[in-house]
């Protein structure tokens, strides 16, 4: 039995969060998509490594019937880039402040390609023994670094509930990218402090983005206060590949 029911007119939208967030970061987008009749799954991304997380996503995709639209935020963009390759069910990729790496590139490579990223100065590490380190954003720095366009009370809850990522995942090279096979759409904020806006523009152009939305003043989590614009882009993508 499939995780969710299918729709005769809409693809299933699968939302993949990135590091320092969780699936609830999609709540605003989910509400809109459900109202529009989309089947939706907000994945609990393991954040353990590119190959492992992509394999987790592929296993989930195998349990979904019909057409699929993948949406990735931040490191979640890397996961959909790797997890969708050679899957004919996946009809479109939507990157929301997300990484779209090419083969051999890592999230760290793309974040450091242009000036403006300040994430490294805000991180703290929890040793995992032989498994390396789990990375968190320091709670007192979370609002300014990660979610400056969200209200302080919203950001404070996000800081407390953030999911850590294994440090090695941010340096793990990507494999053959799905965006070379599958049409893509991009949305990001001009004031993203995790991924410089120049990197977003570079990735969108390289991927041949069908439409690129740059939101002035938007943070790395621009999709939270601008959930309606994210949902609009997802709906546009779904209509294009229907």
């Amino acid at each position: 039995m499939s995780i969710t029911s299918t729709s005769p007119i809409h693809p299933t939208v699968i939302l993949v969060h990135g590091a320092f967030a969780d699936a609830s970061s999609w709540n605003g987008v989910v509400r809109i998509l459900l109202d529009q009749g989309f089947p939706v799954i907000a994945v609990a991304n393991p954040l353990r490594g590119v190959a492992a997380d992509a394999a987790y996503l592929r296993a989930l995709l195998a349990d979904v019937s019909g057409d699929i639209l993948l949406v990735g935020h931040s490191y979640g963009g890397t996961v959909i880039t790797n997890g969708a390759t050679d899957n004919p069910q996946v009809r479109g990729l939507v990157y929301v402040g997300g990484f779209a790496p090419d083969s051999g590139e890592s999230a760290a490579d793309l974040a450091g390609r242009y000036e403006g990223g300040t994430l490294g100065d805000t991180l703290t590490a929890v040793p995992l023994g032989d498994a390396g380190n789990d990375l968190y954003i320091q709670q007192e720095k979370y609002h300014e670094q990660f979610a400056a366009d969200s209200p302080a009370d919203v950001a404070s809850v996000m800081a407390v509930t953030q999911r850590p990522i294994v440090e090695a995942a941010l340096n793990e090279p990507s494999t053959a990218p799905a965006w070379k096979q599958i049409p893509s759409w991009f949305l990001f904020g001009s004031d993203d402090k995790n991924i410089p806006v120049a990197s977003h523009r570079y990735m969108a152009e390289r991927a041949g983005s069908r439409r690129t939305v740059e939101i002035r003043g938007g943070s790395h989590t621009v999709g939270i206060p601008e959930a309606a614009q994210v949902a609009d882009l997802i709906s546009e993508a779904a209509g294009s590949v229907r």
Side-chain angles (χ1 to χ4, degrees):
M1 181 178 293
S2 178
I3 296 173
T4 184
S5 59
T6 58
S7 165
I9 59 173
H10 294 308
T12 296
V13 178
I14 297 182
L15 306 163
V16 184
H17 69 80
F20 319 118
D22 63 14
S24 70
S25 60
W26 295 112
N27 282 356
V29 175
V30 168
R31 292 188 195 99
I32 297 170
L33 294 177
L34 290 177
D35 286 345
Q36 294 176 351
F38 282 93
V40 184
I41 301 168
V43 178
N45 188 359
L47 305 176
R48 300 295 88 182
V50 174
D53 297 337
Y56 178 88
L57 177 61
R58 282 192 294 271
L60 185 146
L61 298 182
D63 200 49
V64 176
S65 301
D67 291 342
I68 295 169
L69 194 67
L70 286 178
V71 185
H73 171 246
S74 190
Y75 169 80
T78 297
V79 176
I80 69 171
T81 296
N82 286 263
T85 304
D86 297 323
N87 187 330
Q89 281 183 272
V90 180
R91 303 297 306 281
L93 306 168
V94 181
Y95 293 89
V96 180
F99 288 108
D102 202 346
S103 180
E105 291 179 338
S106 69
D109 293 335
L110 289 165
R113 184 178 294 268
Y114 298 95
E115 294 183 356
T118 56
L119 176 64
D121 295 335
T122 70
L123 295 176
T124 186
V126 175
L128 301 175
D130 292 342
N133 296 314
D134 253 350
L135 299 180
Y136 292 83
I137 296 177
Q138 298 170 51
Q139 289 187 15
E140 66 272 19
K141 298 179 179 179
Y142 191 98
H143 188 197
E144 181 179 354
Q145 175 65 36
F146 202 70
D149 53 355
S150 288
D153 60 336
V154 172
S156 65
V157 173
M158 292 169 61
V160 170
T161 59
Q162 66 177 294
R163 296 266 312 283
I165 188 168
V166 171
E167 185 174 8
L170 299 178
N171 294 288
E172 184 176 341
S174 187
T175 59
W179 49 258
K180 288 189 176 180
Q181 307 170 330
I182 302 170
S184 59
W185 289 257
F186 284 72
L187 181 149
F188 49 84
S190 67
D191 293 357
D192 190 332
K193 294 183 178 181
N194 278 34
I195 308 173
V197 67
S199 291
H200 285 302
R201 294 169 183 157
Y202 167 77
M203 290 185 285
E205 182 177 0
R206 179 175 66 176
S209 173
R210 294 283 185 93
R211 189 156 83 90
T212 300
V213 179
E214 181 176 329
I215 298 178
R216 185 174 181 180
S219 76
H220 188 57
T221 51
V222 65
I224 294 177
E226 301 296 344
Q229 290 204 55
V230 173
D232 284 348
L233 190 62
I234 291 170
S235 182
E236 176 185 316
S240 177
V241 301
R242 185 175 301 147

